[in-house]
């Protein structure tokens, strides 16, 4: 799907992907529980796509900023996005991450679904080509 296409863009050095170890572990855990047959593909992607691993540490000021708007486990996700300096936090988690509550916050990144980011990229390249 869209997540795979984003990984392909990263493989071609067209975009950068950042993740902290917590996010990578969470993805692996979710695949193990929901789609264990896809784990080999996940490992293959991680071995061939350049993913910049960012810190998983929680800064006190970041914790204070996010603990009232997300669960403790999602604080690590938001912290990773902020510490990486990423423009977008791409997630499939519509309930906790890509929702109106977070989108209304003054975050240094935009919570977004993979398909939404692909549309932004496509529109950017279409505008550049015209």
């Amino acid at each position: 799907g869209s997540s795979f296409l984003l990984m392909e863009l990263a493989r071609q050095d067209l975009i950068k992907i950042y993740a902290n170890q917590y996010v990578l572990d969470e993805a692996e855990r979710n695949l193990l529980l929901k789609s264990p047959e896809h784990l080999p593909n996940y490992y293959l992607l991680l071995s061939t796509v350049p993913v910049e691993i960012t810190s998983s540490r929680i800064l006190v000021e970041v914790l204070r900023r996010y603990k009232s708007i997300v669960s403790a486990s999602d604080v690590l996700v938001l912290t990773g996005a902020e510490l990486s300096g990423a423009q977008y936090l791409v997630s499939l988690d519509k309930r906790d991450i890509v929702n109106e509550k977070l989108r209304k916050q003054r975050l240094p990144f935009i919570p977004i679904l993979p398909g939404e980011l692909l549309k932004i990229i496509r529109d950017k390249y279409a505008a550049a080509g015209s």
Side-chain angles (χ1 to χ4, degrees), residues 77-98:
V77 176
L78 299 184
T79 301
E82 182 167 331
L83 293 176
S84 74
Q87 186 175 0
Y88 300 100
L89 168 55
V90 180
S91 176
L92 293 170
D93 186 348
K94 292 179 187 178
R95 188 186 77 197
D96 299 318
I97 302 293
V98 185

Side-chain angles (χ1 to χ4, degrees), residues 61-85:
E61 65 270 14
V62 175
L63 175 62
R64 284 190 193 120
R65 191 165 40 248
Y66 296 138
K67 73 178 184 174
S68 65
I69 58 174
V70 295
S71 68
S73 60
D74 289 330
V75 166
L76 288 169
V77 176
L78 299 184
T79 301
E82 182 167 331
L83 293 176
S84 74

Side-chain angles (χ1 to χ4, degrees), residues 23-110:
V23 169
L24 296 175
D25 291 345
E26 184 177 25
E28 181 179 33
R29 194 171 41 255
N30 286 335
L31 281 172
L32 186 60
L33 292 172
K34 298 174 185 176
S35 303
E37 68 278 7
H38 291 107
L39 273 172
N41 293 335
Y42 174 72
Y43 297 136
L44 180 62
L45 275 175
L46 286 181
S47 70
T48 61
V49 174
V51 175
E52 188 168 323
I53 307 298
T54 63
S55 175
S56 290
R57 72 176 195 252
I58 297 180
L59 303 176
V60 174
E61 65 270 14
V62 175
L63 175 62
R64 284 190 193 120
R65 191 165 40 248
Y66 296 138
K67 73 178 184 174
S68 65
I69 58 174
V70 295
S71 68
S73 60
D74 289 330
V75 166
L76 288 169
V77 176
L78 299 184
T79 301
E82 182 167 331
L83 293 176
S84 74
Q87 186 175 0
Y88 300 100
L89 168 55
V90 180
S91 176
L92 293 170
D93 186 348
K94 292 179 187 178
R95 188 186 77 197
D96 299 318
I97 302 293
V98 185
N99 59 48
E100 285 308 308
K101 179 181 175 183
L102 271 186
R103 286 182 174 183
K104 289 180 180 177
Q105 301 293 318
R106 292 180 176 255
L107 301 172
F109 50 82
I110 300 167

